[in-house]
Amino acid sequence: GSPPAPPAAPAPAVDLFGDDPFGSDPFGAPAAPATAHAQKTAPPLNPNQIAQHKRWWVAALSANGGPLYDDGTLQVASKTEIRGSQCRLTLFYQNQSPAAINKLKVEIKDPSGLIRSEVSPLSDTIAGLGKATQTIMCECLKPVAPGPTVTISYVDTLAGSRNNTLDLPLVVSSFNEPITLEGTDFLNRWNALSGPGQEVQEVLKPPYPIVPAQIHAALQSVSLV
């Protein structure tokens, strides 16, 4: 018959305490965890959405409130209540998606220093089809421009992370408090502005005739958007 098979070579010993005892796992587990997937990012706002936000801002500025923002998942509307230099601005958030919004962060930036503000806390999560409200108490400090902005960032469970900035419906003229005066009262107040630097007069002599109808047409053609 055929000669017997040679004996198998002994398996090499596993040194569990070698120079790098954690470099390999004798029990078969992977040496390093699997690489995590990068976080998904939602598409940016399209030109139509950006233009709509600008139109909403103008409307909210003149009407003391209204819609401000809509990215397809999150809607933001505002209500502004102003008395003199004081303001209470309320932001209303609505999640239009059946999935939750997470890691919601709202940051107000005011590089010109128009206002000082106190912002109420806001939950970092809005449940699917849920709503939230945030109040901003502020005071106008000085006549400067531009006004403050708000950056809204969150993670949409379905679409991914979003981060967008929009203007708040607050500018220096928002804090003007109109009053009604008779002619004599107006003149008395105007004449009281007698301090240095409180009144400036300048006479303009244009080289062409001034046509009021042309000025009216030019002012009507000016657009804030």
Side-chain angles (χ1 to χ4, degrees):
S2 59
V14 177
D15 184 2
L16 300 181
F17 300 97
D19 293 338
D20 183 11
F22 302 102
S24 61
D25 189 341
F27 302 104
T35 303
H37 294 289
Q39 181 173 289
K40 183 179 179 181
T41 301
L45 298 175
N46 61 51
N48 290 336
Q49 289 173 311
I50 295 173
Q52 180 64 71
H53 292 166
K54 290 182 178 180
R55 290 191 292 267
W56 279 343
W57 178 81
V58 173
L61 195 62
S62 59
N64 293 327
L68 287 179
Y69 175 84
D70 188 346
D71 60 19
T73 297
L74 181 66
Q75 287 182 331
V76 182
S78 68
K79 179 182 179 182
T80 308
E81 301 166 276
I82 298 176
R83 179 174 295 177
S85 63
Q86 308 290 324
C87 171
R88 177 169 64 186
L89 173 62
T90 306
L91 296 179
F92 304 91
Y93 304 89
Q94 178 167 330
N95 182 4
Q96 305 173 84
S97 170
I101 285 175
N102 299 301
K103 298 183 180 179
L104 175 62
K105 182 180 179 181
V106 176
E107 183 179 5
I108 296 176
K109 297 180 181 179
D110 182 23
S112 298
L114 174 68
I115 62 173
R116 62 180 176 185
S117 60
E118 182 178 340
V119 184
S120 68
L122 178 68
S123 172
D124 62 356
T125 301
I126 302 179
L129 305 179
K131 298 179 181 180
T133 303
Q134 187 176 35
T135 302
I136 303 167
M137 305 299 295
C138 55
E139 179 183 12
C140 181
L141 297 179
K142 53 187 176 180
V144 293
T149 63
V150 58
T151 299
I152 301 172
S153 60
Y154 66 93
V155 176
D156 182 338
T157 304
L158 299 178
S161 62
R162 297 183 188 270
N163 187 308
N164 292 303
T165 299
L166 60 149
D167 294 323
L168 282 177
L170 285 177
V171 294
V172 64
S173 59
S174 302
F175 298 92
N176 289 338
E177 188 173 3
I179 57 176
T180 302
L181 293 175
E182 299 294 334
T184 54
D185 293 334
F186 173 78
L187 288 177
N188 289 335
R189 293 201 178 193
W190 183 263
N191 292 331
L193 300 176
S194 57
Q198 291 185 316
E199 181 178 359
V200 176
Q201 293 185 1
E202 184 175 354
V203 179
L204 301 177
K205 296 181 179 180
Y208 48 83
I210 297 177
V211 181
Q214 293 179 347
I215 297 177
H216 184 264
L219 292 175
Q220 284 187 323
S221 66
V222 173
S223 173
L224 292 175
V225 296

